[in-house]
Amino acid sequence: MRIADEKILVLDFGSQYAQLIARRVREQEVYCEIVRHDITPERIRELAPKGLILSGGPASVYAEGAPRCDPRIFELGIPVLGICYGMQLACQALGGEIRSSSRREFGRARCTVTAGNQLLDGVSQETQVWMSHGDQVTAICEGFEALAGTDTCPVAAVKYREAPIYGLQFHPEVTHTPEGSKILSNFVGPICGCSRLWKLGDFARQTIEEIRNRVGDKRVICGLSGGVDSSVVAALLSQAIGNQLSCILVDNGLLRKNEAKSVIKEFTDHFKTDLHVVEAEDRFLRALAGIREPQDKRKKIGREFIECFADEAAGIEGAEFLAQGTLYPDVIESGGLQDGPAATIKLHHNVGGLPEDLSFQLIEPLRDLFKDEVRALGSQLGLPDEIVWRHPFPGPGLAVRCLGEVCKERLDTLREADAIMIEEIKRAGLYRTTSQAFVVLLPIQSVGVMGDARTYEDVVALRCIETEDFMTADWSRLPYELLATISTRIINEVSGVNRVVYDVSSKPPATIEWE
């Protein structure tokens, strides 16, 4: 097996937390993959997992067309843990009764452990859990034993007597269930018998060896953007094949302040990479002239990027492979839930969705990892914290944070304001505790007063969010003193800005980026 000799499979029934379940299992040093809910028992036997987790989902088990698993999976003898919808599905398949409750539970609840069991071993008798359900198990057959309950949900945890099949109505994978990690640890450890041997260091060594064997003496091209994903790929390839790696950085004039310089320094001085820098600011600005609609910006930028990258790649002799920073969530979103190569490969935005006629073989060494694992791997490979912990950056760059017209003057204004915000957040020690922070230049101007004179200048919005998966996010409660400092510095130091506002929108209903 490429990644690990032991694995847990998560059968995805449409839960917003499916990726989070996999991440929490990996935190137990056990490799975990997400697969389709309708995976066959035969395929499960081939994969030989140590355990199965049935995720939650938005459907009702009794609804027409509700997603279901093959009931034969409960006969495999492999430990199963059903979570929320997954518990209801398992109980229904094994003789239980599920009904819509008149008293639904959404949010925190107090749960009482009523029976001792391996799954809840070490969990407090009264513990806080996170509920998100309308349906619940109302009757369990004689084959089941209730393990825990809440005031509203008497059957919040169950165990099947004849086989290692368990169910939890609550979500152990979310941080709002404080003892959830303990429960998952009990499942993968004592119940599934996993020895917890999956390490990122082993992954790195294994991947480096595989890349060397696959590439041989050929050359690999990697597109660098300054983001953590492409930087980690480049660092991994550098250790694997050394001077057989060529990196291409397209400096399109849409990067953050000093970003191109930082990438050039790191990958020439530290990794000694064959780095090709394409100076294309004028080309991109010409293409964006007069374009205001966000989707039109993306199309223009994508088209120019492909042409720039392809032109530079064509001049690199002996290049047969293209490496990119596709992550596991990208594989999942592209329809690749079944193990093995995704049916549809979603090209990472760092290489702009390159066309097939470039005739490169694709290398995606990070396709089995989540973002937090990529950061940890980057640190192991020697990348500086400045790159490893850099906040996410959109593929179209500052063009989608410069609302309305995109020109060098407005981009420079945005760059300077953004640099001030990031500098002050870092100075306050909050950069690593915030998930993403940036400035948006608005397509409006406002009246102000500076030195007793009337001004009519630009408005910028500060956006700072906290999230675990970027599917949902909340705005960061930055200290007022910090916001005041950022605002004062931007207005005093960035010519043409006289007003700063703070975005207090969550996702949903808002998105993280403004365009």
Side-chain angles (χ1 to χ4, degrees), residues 20 41 47 77 85 93-94 157 202 221 224 241 256 411 481 489:
L20 190 54
L47 294 172
Y85 179 88
L94 296 169
D202 296 334
I221 294 176
L224 276 177
I241 58 174
R256 290 169 283 201
L411 287 169
E481 294 80 5
R489 282 198 60 193

Side-chain angles (χ1 to χ4, degrees), residues 6 9 26 132 136 201 219 230 242 284 369 396 404 469 509 515:
E6 298 177 333
L9 298 182
R26 292 189 186 187
S132 180
Q136 61 183 358
R219 181 161 290 276
S230 66
F284 277 80
L369 301 184
D469 55 14
E515 286 192 344

Side-chain angles (χ1 to χ4, degrees), residues 61-73:
V61 294
Y62 50 77
E64 184 178 353
R68 299 185 182 280
C69 58
D70 190 319
R72 292 179 296 158
I73 70 171

Side-chain angles (χ1 to χ4, degrees), residues 132-279:
S132 180
H133 68 101
D135 298 346
Q136 61 183 358
V137 177
T138 56
I140 54 176
C141 63
E142 291 183 1
F144 278 98
E145 175 188 7
L147 304 178
T150 69
D151 291 342
T152 302
C153 181
V155 185
V158 295
K159 162 70 169 70
Y160 193 55
R161 300 180 193 276
E162 299 178 7
I165 299 172
Y166 300 81
L168 298 172
Q169 185 58 68
F170 56 87
H171 290 270
E173 70 274 21
V174 302
T175 56
H176 303 305
T177 301
E179 296 187 272
S181 292
K182 177 63 177 175
I183 296 171
L184 290 175
S185 176
N186 289 339
F187 179 70
V188 303
I191 294 173
C192 294
C194 294
S195 49
R196 307 176 194 269
L197 297 177
W198 187 67
K199 311 285 186 184
L200 271 178
D202 296 334
F203 168 85
R205 287 188 292 273
Q206 205 170 21
T207 303
I208 286 171
E209 182 180 352
E210 288 181 1
I211 291 172
R212 286 174 180 160
N213 292 336
R214 182 181 176 193
V215 171
D217 60 356
K218 303 298 190 299
R219 181 161 290 276
V220 180
I221 294 176
C222 177
L224 276 177
S225 68
V228 61
D229 303 337
S230 66
S231 297
V232 171
V233 168
L236 192 65
L237 287 165
S238 178
Q239 292 200 14
I241 58 174
N243 59 13
Q244 294 170 239
L245 171 66
S246 293
C247 293
I248 297 177
L249 170 65
V250 178
D251 188 354
N252 55 15
L254 305 174
L255 301 178
R256 290 169 283 201
K257 186 176 180 180
N258 297 327
E259 192 152 37
K261 291 181 181 179
S262 173
V263 173
I264 292 169
K265 184 177 187 303
E266 189 61 33
F267 284 91
T268 53
D269 295 351
H270 184 79
F271 288 103
K272 310 298 183 184
T273 304
D274 175 34
L275 179 60
H276 298 243
V277 181
V278 182
E279 301 288 353

Side-chain angles (χ1 to χ4, degrees), residues 446-457 491 498-499:
S446 70
V447 174
V449 178
M450 290 184 178
D452 296 325
R454 179 184 183 276
T455 62
Y456 192 62
E457 295 180 325
I491 291 173
N498 70 355
R499 190 177 299 271

Side-chain angles (χ1 to χ4, degrees), residues 11-16 18 21 54-58 83-86 171 173:
L11 278 62
D12 182 18
F13 292 89
S15 171
Q16 62 177 320
I21 296 171
L54 312 185
S55 83
I83 297 176
C84 198
Y85 179 88
H171 290 270
E173 70 274 21

Side-chain angles (χ1 to χ4, degrees), residues 9-46:
L9 298 182
V10 176
L11 278 62
D12 182 18
F13 292 89
S15 171
Q16 62 177 320
Y17 298 135
Q19 293 186 30
L20 190 54
I21 296 171
R23 286 179 58 199
R24 293 290 180 256
V25 172
R26 292 189 186 187
E27 288 173 3
Q28 303 295 330
E29 298 181 320
V30 176
Y31 184 68
C32 186
E33 286 183 9
I34 301 174
V35 297
R36 292 177 56 89
H37 66 274
D38 54 1
I39 185 172
T40 65
E42 292 75 19
R43 184 58 183 145
I44 291 175
R45 286 195 189 95
E46 291 176 14

